[in-house]
Amino acid sequence: MAEIPEVVAHRGASAHRAEHTRSAYELALEQGADALECDVRVTRDGHLVCVHDRRIDRTSNGRGVVSALTVAAMAEVDFGRSAAEYGVLTLDELLGMVRASPRRTRLFVETKHPVRYGGLVEQKLVALLARHGLSAPADPAESPVFMMSFAPAAVRRFKEAAPDVPTVLLFSRFTGLRRGGVLPSWADLAGPDVRLLREDPGFVARAAALGRDTYCWTVDEPADIELCRGAGVRYLATNSPEATRLHLADPDSSRFGSVAL
């Protein structure tokens, strides 16, 4: 029987709380997520903040490009949906939440590209991890932080600066040798879209045969959860960590149906 995947809360428990908010991550921790996931961008005043889009318009009541805004300016912006939650969440704060968790919790950090400041986001990330004592884990397999990106140059840049922090190369289509499970030396894990595994679940085994685990996104449907479990996915990113965790523990559990995916 394949090992049960570790459950990664995609932007927090984002099916139930506004994405990338403190409450979304607090709920994910309460729901027993094994890891948290976030996207990061650099603000005008040089801070890493947890925002997916180039602009804050979709996820807040404010407007503007993240790289042109300061953290102070966003302090007056509501990033909550049904409940007010003012101020953008910084990666520094989120790292603090992870380190304060009573349970071992990993953090997957995705740097977004293309961006105005180019490789500065990776430089800032390495520096911030260093301040938290997380940039050079003694055992990479036990690292509490993983770096991810769709941009190969970003992953390579980060790996050169922090070689012991595991990296994930994200992708939404198979190109070149990728279908065979082949990754560049600077990418430790494969990061396929779940739609690729629906097309070719054997990819996970091929990557594993070459020493690469798989991080799969974004998995919210019971059939996809089962697909990932059967294929041998190591990390499963989901918007509903509690429902996913319960389903993995017992696919026939009546409690699964009580938590909307």
Side-chain angles (χ1 to χ4, degrees):
M1 178 179 291
E3 289 188 26
I4 295 178
E6 294 191 33
V7 174
V8 182
H10 183 249
R11 307 179 196 173
S14 54
H16 307 284
R17 300 287 187 274
E19 67 183 59
H20 286 129
T21 57
R22 296 166 188 83
S23 61
Y25 289 110
E26 288 168 356
L27 181 59
L29 292 171
E30 291 172 13
Q31 291 184 347
D34 299 301
L36 309 177
E37 183 270 354
C38 68
D39 304 287
V40 294
R41 292 177 177 274
V42 181
T43 63
R44 193 179 82 191
D45 52 342
H47 293 277
L48 291 175
V49 293
C50 301
V51 180
H52 178 274
D53 300 355
R54 176 175 172 269
R55 303 180 61 89
I56 64 171
D57 304 37
R58 177 181 64 85
T59 54
S60 77
N61 67 350
R63 295 180 61 82
V65 176
V66 175
S67 61
L69 296 169
T70 63
V71 169
M74 287 184 276
E76 304 302 317
V77 174
D78 181 8
F79 285 85
R81 287 196 302 240
S82 57
E85 192 159 346
Y86 288 90
V88 69
L89 177 66
T90 66
L91 182 59
D92 192 34
E93 290 178 84
L94 184 55
L95 280 167
M97 290 174 63
V98 169
R99 297 188 69 189
S101 174
R103 293 184 301 102
R104 178 195 181 210
T105 307
R106 297 183 189 267
L107 179 63
F108 287 78
V109 182
E110 179 185 343
T111 62
K112 306 302 292 184
H113 290 277
V115 290
R116 173 182 301 186
Y117 300 126
L120 182 62
V121 62
E122 284 78 41
Q123 294 175 30
K124 291 280 187 181
L125 177 56
V126 172
L128 181 58
L129 293 182
R131 288 202 296 275
H132 282 265
L134 300 172
S135 63
D139 181 357
E142 296 300 317
S143 175
V145 177
F146 288 63
M147 178 273 179
M148 311 190 296
S149 187
F150 283 92
V155 181
R156 183 175 62 248
R157 192 161 47 225
F158 178 87
K159 179 59 85 172
E160 289 172 352
D164 295 322
V165 176
T167 55
V168 185
L169 180 60
L170 300 169
F171 52 92
S172 57
R173 62 192 179 97
F174 289 124
T175 57
L177 299 175
R178 189 74 43 76
R179 186 183 290 274
V182 177
L183 294 177
S185 60
W186 35 262
D188 298 307
L189 284 81
D193 183 341
V194 70
R195 290 177 292 182
L196 294 181
L197 296 195
R198 292 181 200 146
E199 169 194 330
D200 185 2
F203 167 82
V204 180
R206 294 194 296 275
L210 296 174
R212 299 293 198 269
D213 283 327
T214 297
Y215 168 102
C216 186
W217 53 278
T218 302
V219 186
D220 288 334
E221 298 298 327
D224 287 337
I225 297 170
E226 286 302 309
L227 170 66
C228 289
R229 186 216 300 263
V233 165
R234 176 73 184 278
Y235 300 102
L236 183 162
T238 176
N239 295 313
S240 298
E242 182 176 43
T244 299
R245 186 176 58 79
L246 292 173
H247 182 78
L248 286 168
D250 182 4
D252 299 320
S253 171
S254 60
R255 293 180 65 195
F256 179 76
S258 69
V259 183
L261 280 174

